[in-house]
Amino acid sequence: MAGRAARIGHVKRRLLRSGICLAAACFAFAAPAAYGENLPEALAKAYQTNPALNAERARQRATDENVPQALSGYRPQILATLSAGFQAVRNLLPDNTIQSANLKPWTIGVTVSQTLFNGFKTANSVRVAELQVQSGREALRNVGQGVLLDAVTVYTNVLANQSLVEAQRANVAFLQETLGITQKRLNAGDVTPTDTAQAEARLSRGRADLNAAEVNLAVSQATYAQVIGNAPNQLRPADTVDRLLPRSRDDATGLAFRGHPAVMAASFDFDVATTTIRVAESSLMPTITLQGSASRSKQSDPTLGTLGTDQASVTTQLTQPIYDGGMAASQTRQAKEIASQSRQVLDQVRNQARTAAVGAWVANEGAKIAVTASEAEVRAATVALQGVQREAAGGQRTTVDVLNASQDLISAKARLIGAQRDRVIASYTLLSAIGRLDVKNLGLNTPDYLPEVHYHQVRDAWHGLRTPSGQ
């Protein structure tokens, strides 16, 4: 009898120790990992290599070319012509004689045209192109914010899923130990088969939860490689960016309303639309052009009176549209309606930016509370598990009580992991909502892409087929 009591006491002590080990394992992943890739490094890689961001940069470079195209209206147009051929001539003269010849006419000439006035169409077209460049830069900045926020999300998802896998593995190990102890207690006659079945059921659930966590980790790792450009390797804990955030909700909404790239882009789009009205109106105004030409021709006179001709001329032409079937009037009305639409879109985008800023602010504040509450829950669940373990060792608790306490701890830790992840993402989301999620504000160790560099390289280019990058 004494030997049986000793065996029961031994397995109860093992059960208590396994529960304490589970609690310790649940906290283990919160410790800093060995040196690997940190969040700023991952953001720098995404900023340099992300295909979506690089595609948007190429689109912006193409938009820059609208400016030299518009500026071409200020520049002269030079046209060279060359013609040559064979011509057989047979002339019947008044005295009924016939004059025939085989000619090889050729003509070479050059024409220079310069627009002097076109109703300010060129000036307004240049203004439209420059505004399109400004709008495109803001759109590029917005895409950059989205890429950086995606990078933060995939980074923290991998960290969270790694922690969940480790916690679930510790849980499975604990449940296996619990099942083994329960079976020994069953053999000793201390518990019933029901206890063993309950332990087996919880172990099966734990294995299923571990498998689900491993699947989620694999998916998050693949997404990480897609966004960042390489597989995750020993990721370090991520920090929030609270130091860069506004101090109040009103500050957040004000910054978003004035400086969010989507708002700025919509504002430039509205300016484009209003300037396009003046471009359309220029079609109703007179056009003045200056044209100079020079040419030389040989054997081009079918009367055979001259062997060659040299010509040079300078002419000025004024053209005033009288009636074009209503085309210019319709285009002007259309431009006015598009400007009205752009104004409404600007108001809509501003409202959306304000709403997004409020939502991001509230979510960030809520994430702080969630982390604090989850940490308290984990601490309490850890103490509860240890207490249930001690009571079970003294015969005051059943196996199912231990299993329930361990499940409560795992669930609490999973909520804490999610809350910690959401806390980091929420801070970056708020920074994005106010339009300040960029390389400069984050202080990333990577060169900032400056779209104005390419703009100045091509703005005043009069010729050349190669891009500044050599394509």
Side-chain angles (χ1 to χ4, degrees):
M1 194 70 179
R4 179 187 174 193
R7 289 195 302 272
I8 293 175
H10 176 66
V11 296
K12 287 181 177 179
R13 286 192 296 271
R14 288 182 59 192
L15 186 62
L16 174 60
R17 287 196 300 270
S18 65
I20 296 174
C21 290
L22 171 64
C26 287
F27 283 102
F29 63 86
Y35 179 79
E37 187 172 53
N38 58 28
L39 180 55
E41 292 171 345
L43 293 179
K45 288 181 180 179
Y47 185 77
Q48 294 169 352
T49 63
N50 187 268
L53 185 54
N54 286 329
E56 188 67 15
R57 289 166 179 167
R59 181 206 59 77
Q60 178 59 24
R61 291 193 295 270
T63 302
D64 291 341
E65 295 291 349
N66 290 339
V67 177
Q69 291 172 21
L71 286 171
S72 66
Y74 286 127
R75 299 165 185 163
Q77 306 293 316
I78 303 175
L79 178 66
T81 58
L82 173 65
S83 63
F86 177 81
Q87 184 178 16
V89 177
R90 185 174 181 274
N91 295 329
L92 179 62
L93 301 179
D95 58 358
N96 291 325
T97 60
I98 296 176
Q99 184 184 47
S100 62
N102 292 326
L103 303 178
K104 296 179 180 179
W106 60 269
T107 303
I108 185 172
V110 61
T111 301
V112 180
S113 300
Q114 175 64 60
T115 300
L116 301 179
F117 180 76
N118 58 0
F120 305 105
K121 182 177 183 178
T122 299
N124 289 318
S125 296
V126 171
R127 178 60 177 161
V128 166
E130 290 174 340
L131 290 170
Q132 288 172 339
V133 168
Q134 296 292 330
S135 175
R137 289 178 185 175
E138 296 301 326
L140 174 60
R141 190 159 67 94
N142 201 28
V143 171
Q145 286 202 145
V147 168
L148 292 177
L149 186 57
D150 289 343
V152 172
T153 301
V154 298
Y155 187 98
T156 52
N157 280 343
V158 171
L159 277 178
N161 288 330
Q162 286 175 343
S163 298
L164 284 172
V165 168
E166 293 173 7
Q168 293 296 344
R169 284 175 180 167
N171 183 47
V172 169
F174 168 74
L175 293 175
Q176 288 174 333
E177 180 75 11
T178 301
L179 176 59
I181 293 172
T182 305
Q183 289 174 339
K184 291 181 180 180
R185 296 180 66 187
L186 176 64
N187 295 335
D190 190 45
V191 297
T192 66
T194 302
D195 296 277
T196 305
Q198 290 172 333
E200 290 175 346
R202 291 297 178 91
L203 177 59
S204 297
R205 182 198 296 182
R207 287 171 174 166
D209 292 341
L210 173 59
N211 178 71
E214 290 174 339
V215 169
N216 291 335
L217 175 59
V219 172
S220 63
Q221 289 172 335
T223 307
Y224 182 99
Q226 174 187 343
V227 175
I228 305 299
N230 59 268
N233 180 29
Q234 295 182 346
L235 303 186
R236 302 176 67 184
D239 295 325
T240 63
V241 285
D242 291 344
R243 69 188 187 282
L244 303 176
L245 300 180
R247 297 182 178 179
S248 66
R249 181 192 298 189
D250 291 339
D251 290 341
T253 56
L255 291 170
F257 188 84
R258 295 187 303 270
H260 193 278
V263 174
M264 300 297 293
S267 178
F268 284 120
D269 289 340
F270 173 66
D271 293 337
V272 168
T274 55
T275 308
T276 302
I277 297 174
R278 293 194 288 273
V279 175
E281 291 174 342
S282 65
S283 299
L284 300 172
M285 302 180 71
T287 301
I288 302 175
T289 58
L290 177 66
Q291 186 178 85
S293 63
S295 65
R296 166 170 289 184
S297 60
K298 295 293 185 179
Q299 298 185 28
S300 60
D301 184 6
T303 66
L304 306 179
T306 59
L307 178 62
T309 303
D310 293 332
Q311 292 183 343
S313 65
V314 177
T315 58
T316 301
Q317 182 179 10
L318 185 147
T319 303
Q320 173 61 58
I322 303 300
Y323 181 68
D324 63 352
M327 173 65 75
S330 176
Q331 291 174 340
T332 301
R333 296 193 303 271
Q334 182 184 52
K336 291 179 179 180
E337 293 297 344
I338 293 176
S340 177
Q341 176 198 18
S342 299
R343 179 64 193 184
Q344 298 299 320
V345 170
L346 174 58
D347 292 339
Q348 179 183 5
V349 172
R350 283 174 173 168
N351 290 333
Q352 290 173 344
R354 184 189 295 110
T355 302
V358 171
W361 173 269
V362 173
N364 188 54
E365 294 299 309
K368 296 177 184 178
I369 298 174
V371 169
T372 302
S374 297
E375 289 174 345
E377 182 184 9
V378 169
R379 288 192 297 268
T382 302
V383 173
L385 175 61
Q386 295 172 354
V388 171
Q389 289 292 323
R390 286 191 292 268
E391 293 172 0
Q396 298 176 343
R397 293 280 187 168
T398 64
T399 301
V400 71
D401 292 329
V402 175
L403 295 174
N404 287 339
S406 68
Q407 185 62 44
D408 289 342
L409 177 58
I410 290 297
S411 298
K413 196 58 191 179
R415 283 189 287 271
L416 176 57
I417 292 170
Q420 291 171 336
R421 175 199 59 199
D422 295 342
R423 174 75 177 88
V424 176
I425 295 176
S427 67
Y428 278 89
T429 301
L430 178 55
L431 189 62
S432 174
I434 63 175
R436 294 189 175 180
L437 181 57
D438 54 42
V439 170
K440 184 177 180 180
N441 284 326
L442 294 177
L444 300 183
N445 185 23
T446 180
D448 193 3
Y449 181 82
L450 302 175
E452 56 268 22
V453 172
H454 178 268
Y455 170 79
H456 289 296
Q457 288 174 335
V458 301
R459 186 184 191 279
D460 296 317
W462 284 52
H463 60 84
L465 301 180
R466 288 188 175 274
T467 64
S469 62
Q471 297 181 351

